[in-house]
Amino acid sequence: MPPTSSRSSANGGSGSMSTVVADTATGWHVLRISSYSATKALLGNGKFIKSSTFNVGGHTWHIKFFPAGYDAKSVGCISVFLYLDEIAGQNNVVNGRLKFSLLDRQGKTDSAYSQGYGNLWGFRPVPSLGWGYDQFIKTNWLWKESKHFKNDCFSIRCDVMVMLGLRTETVVPSSDLHQDLGELLSSRQGADVTFDVNGDLFTAHRNILGARSSVFKVELFGVMKEKTGVPVVIRDMEARVFKALLHFIYTDSLPGMDVGEENEIVMAQHLLVAADRYDLKRLKLISENKLCSRFTKRTAITTLVLAEQHGCRGLKEACFAYLSSLGSLKAVMDTDGYDHLRRSCQA
């Protein structure tokens, strides 16, 4: 028995998925009734007139229109039925759905006067076997409805959906590349570069860092290319920020950080600076968007300074909007961020 991977074991084994798909074909036919009064008088109850034939799903169909009702139970109503044309030598069942709708003067179906699409019917090429509605519309109602009935004329549309068959599709799973690269970072297997961040050491892979960051590419394959085995010292960055930066580079996502709202804002500020430093545009935008929706009196000024220093125009505008909403300059001046802003301006 072949061994399972650690990931498969952790998730309870490997799995796959497939989907059953019903293939269908749809089409429609409009039957226009001109001189309805004469048609009704000439045919009477139980009499019908056929539409011209039409094709949907590789089959030929027609509509039977009963202007004075299909039988004694449908006197005073219009009846409509859909039939599958008889084909010599064939008696297969064609499964399908139908819907009859009254059209308004613009030729649009009126959902208030539509029936169908609820049941799946089995059609056979037998002249006496059709499906439809014996009490589709009451005839006395037509005379009062000018939206659909004008000059003794109106139109009915028949929509047909034919079931062509069933098939099974294999569902392609979503990419797990980010998981593989995340495990590669965690395992340190094949790592060929070490970083020293305030005494904390982090190992990584030059090729991945260079592929994701143009700054790392220049540094690791340029001036530092020959310094293999010598830790790269990272200054002016906290170890937890660099760790999150590496996680994003490998997985294109940020690790979960249960640090409280204000600390999360501070972390987003640090990541904004780190992303700009290493030319990680997506991480910079993610950090900027987080900061745009999270301001406090203690962090707003600091965020404004960062927005100015790192060219984040949208974040800068959001900061000004938040500070304006406070309505008190004193509330802003009493914060540590204001002192930082004043020192930055003096510098």
Side-chain angles (χ1 to χ4, degrees):
M1 179 177 179
T4 58
S5 67
S6 59
R7 183 186 303 166
S8 296
S9 299
N11 294 335
S14 61
S16 59
M17 183 182 295
S18 59
T19 302
V20 176
V21 179
D23 288 323
T24 62
T26 58
W28 50 268
H29 181 82
V30 173
L31 177 64
R32 177 172 170 78
I33 295 89
S34 182
S35 302
Y36 169 68
S37 300
T39 303
K40 177 184 176 184
L42 288 171
L43 293 179
N45 180 252
K47 303 294 183 179
F48 65 87
I49 187 168
K50 290 174 57 176
S51 71
S52 59
T53 58
F54 56 95
N55 189 284
V56 178
H59 302 280
T60 305
W61 310 82
H62 68 267
I63 299 166
K64 286 184 180 179
F65 170 68
F66 295 77
Y70 170 72
D71 55 17
K73 295 181 181 179
S74 54
V75 171
C77 296
I78 289 173
S79 304
V80 283
F81 297 90
L82 177 68
Y83 290 81
L84 178 65
D85 270 9
E86 186 173 7
I87 303 175
Q90 295 186 13
N91 195 31
N92 296 327
V93 176
V94 177
N95 293 312
R97 290 188 170 95
L98 63 91
K99 180 173 71 172
F100 284 103
S101 305
L102 198 62
L103 300 184
D104 61 20
R105 294 186 193 177
Q106 287 71 43
K108 298 179 180 179
T109 58
D110 190 335
S111 59
Y113 304 102
S114 297
Q115 294 192 58
Y117 270 178
N119 298 320
L120 183 66
W121 306 106
F123 291 87
R124 291 182 179 275
V126 178
S128 60
L129 182 59
W131 297 103
Y133 303 94
D134 55 358
Q135 298 181 16
F136 177 58
I137 305 171
K138 291 184 178 180
T139 55
N140 61 359
W141 173 86
L142 275 176
W143 303 107
K144 304 175 183 178
E145 181 54 62
S146 59
K147 180 180 178 181
H148 309 87
F149 188 78
K150 184 179 181 181
N151 298 329
D152 209 24
C153 301
F154 65 96
S155 298
I156 297 173
R157 169 168 161 164
C158 177
D159 286 88
V160 184
M161 176 188 294
V162 178
M163 308 299 293
L164 300 178
L166 300 175
R167 57 187 170 85
T168 302
E169 286 186 350
T170 300
V171 178
V172 179
S174 58
S175 172
D176 57 1
L177 177 62
H178 61 290
Q179 296 179 11
D180 293 332
L181 293 179
E183 290 181 4
L184 181 64
L185 175 64
S186 300
S187 69
R188 303 179 181 179
Q189 185 175 4
D192 57 358
V193 61
T194 302
F195 295 93
D196 182 345
V197 187
N198 294 325
D200 289 333
L201 300 180
F202 298 90
T203 56
H205 306 78
R206 291 173 182 264
N207 287 335
I208 293 178
L209 298 181
R212 296 279 282 154
S213 164
S214 60
V215 175
F216 273 129
K217 184 176 182 180
V218 171
E219 291 181 351
L220 299 179
F221 293 94
V223 295
M224 299 179 185
K225 184 177 181 180
E226 305 302 327
K227 297 182 180 181
T228 304
V230 178
V232 178
V233 178
I234 302 294
R235 304 184 187 279
D236 302 323
M237 187 179 297
E238 295 181 14
R240 65 183 184 126
V241 176
F242 189 76
K243 183 178 180 180
L245 181 77
L246 284 181
H247 186 277
F248 182 85
I249 288 175
Y250 278 74
T251 67
D252 206 37
S253 64
L254 290 172
M257 292 176 283
D258 187 14
V259 293
E261 183 176 359
E262 188 151 313
N263 287 332
E264 191 172 349
I265 294 174
V266 173
M267 186 65 171
Q269 292 174 339
H270 284 296
L271 285 173
L272 175 66
V273 176
D276 196 38
R277 175 175 175 176
Y278 288 102
D279 193 28
L280 295 169
K281 296 180 177 61
R282 176 172 153 77
L283 177 57
K284 184 178 178 181
L285 286 173
I286 291 173
S287 302
E288 184 177 351
N289 287 338
K290 279 190 174 184
L291 292 171
C292 277
S293 59
R294 297 182 181 181
F295 292 111
T296 69
K297 291 180 181 179
R298 292 175 56 85
T299 63
I301 292 293
T302 305
T303 299
L304 176 59
V305 173
L306 294 177
E308 177 66 29
Q309 291 175 342
H310 298 279
C312 304
R313 181 177 177 181
L315 180 57
K316 185 177 176 180
E317 292 175 353
C319 286
F320 280 127
Y322 172 78
L323 293 172
S324 298
S325 70
L326 294 178
S328 171
L329 181 60
K330 187 177 185 304
V332 177
M333 295 177 66
D334 288 341
T335 64
D336 296 335
Y338 180 78
D339 292 335
H340 179 64
L341 176 63
R342 186 172 57 184
R343 290 193 301 270
S344 300
C345 292
Q346 290 174 349

